[in-house]
DNA sequence: ATGAATGCAAAAACTTTGCATGACG
DNA sequence: CGTCATGCAAAGTTTTTGCATTCAT
């Protein structure tokens, strides 16, 4: 049960939160918008409000349970925070999202930030790609 | 005069477009929202509509005159497309944006995309940093 | 029991669009 | 002059908020 997962981060184990967490886990390989989660729950016969999805996903983000991304500037998508950090490649033809990790890039980022006298808090890297013709 | 700059990319040299281009050039070191540009023009006594700012900035983007960024997911900012490509560092304490370029990162990006069998169309890299305490 | 969480509807924030008028080439 | 661009206002999207009710502990 995910109940413990929620209590662990100080969130009451309410039904909507459990359902949303289930959806996110069941779609661990995808990036879902708030609307996507909402539709999935409505389709499953749950009685939930879109506002709750937004509120809960924001709480999950703060708790480190999910990550929020803005691949396009129009709407946010969420993915469950599974294991190690990774960045994303978006296929502009299909919309598909591919995950990748490159230690070299991570290392350079840290070096650059150091050199400017800052601490790195986080980063967002998205590569926009096309199928090779 | 910027008239030629506009005609060069196939845009009629209208007054609003010239004014907007001026603002962008005068603030080449900043990242302005559509609202910022709008206010600057209103303050300068120009009679312009916010819708025009959005339309023109979108055209400028398509023409390669400006670049659009989404540092946060809430609103777009624009900067004049000056010289060579660069990425951005956002100071989360102050909101300041610092530009940087790293050939190593660029190179790795190309290599990663190659390895996945794609063509790189573009990328978005933002480092979120904090003042060292 | 009691404070937190929810659903609904309304509002907010940003951006786009329809249309009549006005400006560019 | 014909067309394209503009301003205004209205509509569209996505996300947030207020409030009465319900739920978890």
């Amino acid at each position: 049960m995910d109940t413990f997962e929620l209590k662990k981060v100080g969130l009451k184990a309410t039904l909507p939160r459990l359902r949303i967490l289930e959806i996110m886990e069941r779609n661990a390989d995808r990036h879902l918008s708030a609307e996507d989660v909402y539709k999935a729950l409505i389709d499953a016969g749950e009685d939930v409000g879109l506002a709750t999805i937004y509120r809960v996903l924001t709480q999950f983000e703060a708790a480190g349970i999910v990550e929020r991304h803005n691949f396009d500037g129009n709407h946010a998508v969420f993915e469950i925070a599974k294991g190690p950090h990774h960045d994303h490649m978006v296929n502009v033809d299909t919309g598909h999202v591919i995950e990748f990790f490159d230690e070299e890039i991570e290392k350079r980022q840290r070096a650059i930030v150091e050199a400017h006298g800052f601490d790195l808090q986080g980063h967002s890297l998205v590569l926009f790609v096309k199928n090779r013709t």
Side-chain angles (χ1 to χ4, degrees), chain A residues 3 17 24 28-29 34 36 44 50-52 54 85 88 95-96 98 125:
Chain A
T3 303
R17 293 214 262 243
M24 294 310 292
D29 56 328
D36 291 334
L50 182 53
T52 300
Y54 277 105
H85 162 73
H88 299 88
H96 287 166
I98 301 136
L125 172 58

Side-chain angles (χ1 to χ4, degrees), chain A residues 2 4-11 17 20-21 24-25 56-68 78-82:
Chain A
D2 293 322
F4 182 64
E5 171 113 21
L6 290 178
K7 295 203 173 151
K8 202 168 50 180
V9 296
L11 291 174
R17 293 214 262 243
I20 293 169
L21 185 49
M24 294 310 292
E25 286 173 339
V56 169
L57 286 175
T58 301
Q59 294 160 345
F60 282 7
E61 183 192 16
I65 297 177
V66 304
E67 283 175 18
R68 181 194 302 254
F78 301 83
E79 68 173 327
I80 196 128
K82 41 184 186 303

Side-chain angles (χ1 to χ4, degrees), chain A residues 9-125:
Chain A
V9 296
L11 291 174
K12 258 190 212 170
T14 64
L15 206 60
R17 293 214 262 243
L18 286 168
R19 292 287 171 268
I20 293 169
L21 185 49
E22 276 174 27
I23 295 288
M24 294 310 292
E25 286 173 339
R26 188 174 309 144
N27 294 278
D29 56 328
R30 299 186 47 214
H31 296 76
L32 304 175
S33 66
E35 190 80 30
D36 291 334
V37 176
Y38 176 66
K39 284 194 191 132
L41 288 176
I42 292 299
D43 288 354
E46 299 289 336
D47 177 26
V48 68
L50 182 53
T52 300
I53 312 289
Y54 277 105
R55 276 187 290 233
V56 169
L57 286 175
T58 301
Q59 294 160 345
F60 282 7
E61 183 192 16
I65 297 177
V66 304
E67 283 175 18
R68 181 194 302 254
H69 301 292
N70 279 283
F71 296 139
D72 60 6
N74 304 320
H75 70 300
V77 292
F78 301 83
E79 68 173 327
I80 196 128
K82 41 184 186 303
H85 162 73
H86 56 260
D87 292 304
H88 299 88
M89 222 179 288
V90 178
N91 186 321
V92 296
D93 294 322
T94 64
H96 287 166
V97 178
I98 301 136
E99 303 179 347
F100 72 90
F101 174 81
D102 188 77
E103 180 53 39
E104 193 59 40
I105 289 181
E106 304 289 325
K107 198 182 300 177
R108 289 299 304 153
Q109 289 180 359
R110 290 190 294 265
I112 291 160
V113 169
E114 291 272 304
H116 284 258
F118 295 111
D119 280 343
L120 184 57
Q121 291 294 112
H123 73 259
S124 161
L125 172 58

